Amino acid sequence: MVSYDERTALIVVDVQNDFADPVGSLAVRGGDRIVPRVNEEIRNATEGGGAVVLTQDWHPESTPHFAKDGGIWPVHCVAGTWGAELHPALEAVADAPRVRKGRNGEDGYSGFTMREPLSGQEMPTELDSLLRERDVERVVICGLATDYCVRATALDALRLGYTTTVLGDAIAAVELEEGDGERAIEEVREAGAILA
Ligand code: VGL
Ligand code: ZN
């Protein structure tokens, strides 16, 4: 079990209906099964004095991220829709800051960075500054999906200098290709993340 303090934050990545609900448009196998484990971790973090921060994939109706507009994904997590809402079984998150990636049509996978879809230019979200304001040095990452947003968020956290733990039993993978989840875990481990 990870132990939390004021310098350790829990980042709950994209636990939204479109990923976590079995009828979501980009439902991740086992996505709903991680929710009780994520809730337990939210309690651990809160009891230890650690901040809890949530990210949300937050797309416009049309974006080169979607297959219908030239990308690879079914339409998902469109701003303001049911699919973009946090899974209703997530507990005790009313006061947690939410970082919504893509408010202005940017996309990208990491909770820390967005990408301007046409120019490809990367820009930070508010996540890093939000953590720095709280003097956070360590992050613990859980949520969806292992092979996309969890992976990208963990790699960015390491690049930004955070001691980074990924909770192996509180993540689930999209697996466009079988094995993508395992490969992503191996990659973040090699980059320096702790698997817990
Ligand atoms: C994600 C695919 C497309 C994720 C977001 O949250 O992992 N995956 N957009
Ligand atoms: Zn997306």
Side-chain angles (χ1 to χ4, degrees), residues 2-194:
V2 177
S3 68
Y4 288 84
D5 56 25
E6 295 75 17
R7 301 266 158 118
T8 308
L10 175 66
I11 305 176
V12 179
V13 176
D14 299 3
V15 182
Q16 293 165 271
N17 290 325
D18 270 339
F19 300 122
D21 191 294
V23 305
S25 65
L26 189 36
V28 173
R29 204 182 328 128
D32 53 346
R33 285 203 297 272
I34 69 161
V35 175
R37 181 62 193 89
V38 171
N39 284 336
E40 180 185 34
E41 200 63 20
I42 291 171
R43 286 194 293 275
N44 290 346
T46 306
E47 280 163 21
V52 176
V53 183
L54 309 163
T55 71
Q56 283 176 288
D57 212 30
W58 200 258
H59 296 300
E61 282 172 25
S62 291
T63 159
H65 188 68
F66 294 157
K68 71 175 179 71
D69 304 307
I72 61 169
W73 303 109
V75 173
H76 62 276
C77 298
V78 172
T81 65
W82 171 84
E85 282 170 23
L86 295 171
H87 191 281
L90 266 189
E91 287 168 9
V93 293
D95 299 334
R98 295 176 190 191
V99 174
R100 291 177 166 164
K101 308 168 277 164
R103 281 171 180 287
N104 303 307
E106 311 90 337
D107 67 36
Y109 297 112
S110 166
F112 289 99
T113 5
M114 300 178 291
R115 208 165 39 91
E116 171 57 50
L118 295 180
S119 67
Q121 200 191 333
E122 302 219 319
M123 63 201 112
T125 66
E126 66 272 30
L127 181 54
D128 185 44
S129 49
L130 208 142
L131 297 174
R132 300 223 183 262
E133 268 165 28
R134 291 165 169 76
D135 295 322
V136 170
E137 293 166 358
R138 292 170 289 276
V139 296
V140 180
I141 300 175
C142 63
L144 303 169
T146 310
D147 35 358
Y148 290 93
C149 291
V150 168
R151 168 187 174 277
T153 303
L155 293 175
D156 264 354
L158 289 161
R159 180 178 57 77
L160 291 164
Y162 295 97
T163 301
T164 303
T165 299
V166 175
L167 298 175
D169 61 353
I171 56 179
V174 172
E175 306 244 307
L176 287 183
E177 305 260 353
E178 205 182 313
D180 281 352
E182 270 314 307
R183 279 189 287 277
I185 290 172
E186 209 34 59
E187 189 182 355
V188 297
R189 202 207 305 265
E190 270 168 26
I194 302 154

